[in-house]
Amino acid sequence: MRYINHRYFIHFCHPTSTFFSIIPFPSSTHNSNPNFPEMGSRRSFLRSWSSPLFLFVVVVALAASSADGSRAPRVPCYFIFGDSLYDSGNNNNLNTSAKVNYSPYGIDLPAGPTGRFSNGQTTADAIGEILGFKDFIPPFASNPDDRQILVGVNYASGSAGILVESGKQGRLYELGARKVALAGISNIGCTPSLIATLGTNGAPCVNSVNQLVVPFNTRLKSLISQLKLSYPDAKFAYLDSVRVGTLVGAVFRFAAFRIRATSCCQVSTVTGLCLPNTVPCSQRPSYLFWDAFHPTELANQLAAPLFFPAIQRIL
């Protein structure tokens, strides 16, 4: 679950037949399937919060979204790979401590806890909504049927990573991936876990850790350049997590909120995850982080439209 392992990418299907995915790199009513709820999360925070930040988020999110409930999705399908930032329930039945299918996770989702490492939507969920998908992309563990598979599958799994030896990028190309977005690592020195563990010497974040992010993201951008040369008929996008994270923080400051460097829920000192069945903070819009590692739904919903211009260029 360490942020240094965050890797994710997104594949979006091309209107002809190829598909598009998002890969993170270190990266209203109840539905009958708790792991495949209807998208109601934007509405969930609309019904819950009233503040300058809330109003600003609505403007940003709606300005970036073309989904109005009546239009077809902008891409035929959407495949997600990554770790706990995008996991929507794939770890629920695994023998691992990296799973969160319990309260207070999912407190702001109509279906409640689904296995998402947040109080509500992940960034991948919010991007799917901007793309025009009515429902969340189902996790692989929910055994999606043939119809759902044609629309997309979420393969993200908490604590997962991508090894060069796996050859995943080449394999995905062979399977038809032609539009791929790869997200860099964010400033992980700003997570509550590292701030509490290492201290900041008066700075907002642990600068020494954030400096380690720079060479990784530089090499990722170089990899994307190589992929463009190796697969000229495919399109690749780099999602700048550092820039987007900085802008999300600026939105909080613009809205006159003090950005809280602590987590919204009570966390385990061992895992950094929310303690089961505890009561989280009530003013969730003033928190960037839900637990010691993962952003709140509001932070994710702010990030999605900021990532989208880079995604839009490859659609």
Side-chain angles (χ1 to χ4, degrees), residues 26-273:
S27 219
S28 72
T29 56
H30 287 276
N31 188 283
S32 58
N33 184 344
N35 286 321
F36 189 31
E38 288 189 22
M39 282 191 173
S41 209
R42 178 172 294 164
R43 291 181 290 274
S44 75
F45 83 78
L46 286 174
R47 69 167 186 265
S48 303
W49 309 112
S50 177
S51 69
L53 177 57
F54 157 76
L55 295 174
F56 187 83
V57 172
V58 171
V59 172
V60 171
L62 295 184
S65 176
S66 62
D68 62 5
S70 62
R71 301 178 185 176
R74 299 184 60 171
V75 290
C77 60
Y78 175 31
F79 291 83
I80 304 161
F81 301 81
D83 62 2
S84 55
L85 287 177
Y86 285 2
D87 192 346
S88 59
N90 283 315
N91 282 15
N92 288 355
N93 297 318
L94 299 182
N95 182 22
T96 174
S97 61
K99 58 183 175 182
V100 291
N101 53 337
Y102 59 83
S103 176
Y105 286 94
I107 190 173
D108 293 314
L109 285 175
T114 58
R116 288 169 171 81
F117 288 70
S118 185
N119 57 307
Q121 281 190 351
T122 66
T123 302
D125 294 329
I127 289 173
E129 189 170 13
I130 293 173
L131 286 168
F133 289 95
K134 178 183 176 182
D135 298 317
F136 290 136
I137 300 300
F140 175 74
S142 68
N143 296 316
D145 58 32
D146 291 345
R147 178 190 62 83
Q148 293 170 334
I149 289 174
L150 291 176
V151 175
V153 178
N154 186 339
Y155 293 98
S157 172
S159 201
I162 298 176
L163 297 176
V164 175
E165 291 81 0
S166 68
K168 179 171 285 189
Q169 290 91 348
R171 179 61 177 151
L172 288 172
Y173 178 85
E174 293 173 3
L175 292 172
R178 293 296 183 273
K179 299 175 183 289
V180 182
L182 302 96
I185 302 178
S186 61
N187 276 333
I188 56 179
C190 298
T191 59
S193 175
L194 288 178
I195 289 175
T197 302
L198 301 178
T200 65
N201 293 321
C205 303
V206 185
N207 292 330
S208 59
V209 174
N210 286 344
Q211 290 170 4
L212 299 175
V213 170
V214 176
F216 182 95
N217 287 341
T218 298
R219 293 185 64 181
L220 176 58
K221 286 185 277 189
S222 176
L223 171 62
I224 292 173
S225 297
Q226 295 173 25
L227 291 172
K228 290 178 179 178
L229 293 174
S230 299
Y231 306 104
D233 60 330
K235 295 182 179 180
F236 299 88
Y238 172 71
L239 305 185
D240 192 339
S241 299
V242 170
R243 174 182 172 275
V244 166
T246 301
L247 289 173
V248 169
V251 170
F252 275 72
R253 286 189 292 273
F254 171 82
F257 276 104
R258 179 171 65 87
I259 297 178
R260 301 176 187 270
T262 57
S263 56
C264 178
C265 68
Q266 302 176 54
V267 300
S268 164
T269 56
V270 177
T271 65
L273 299 177

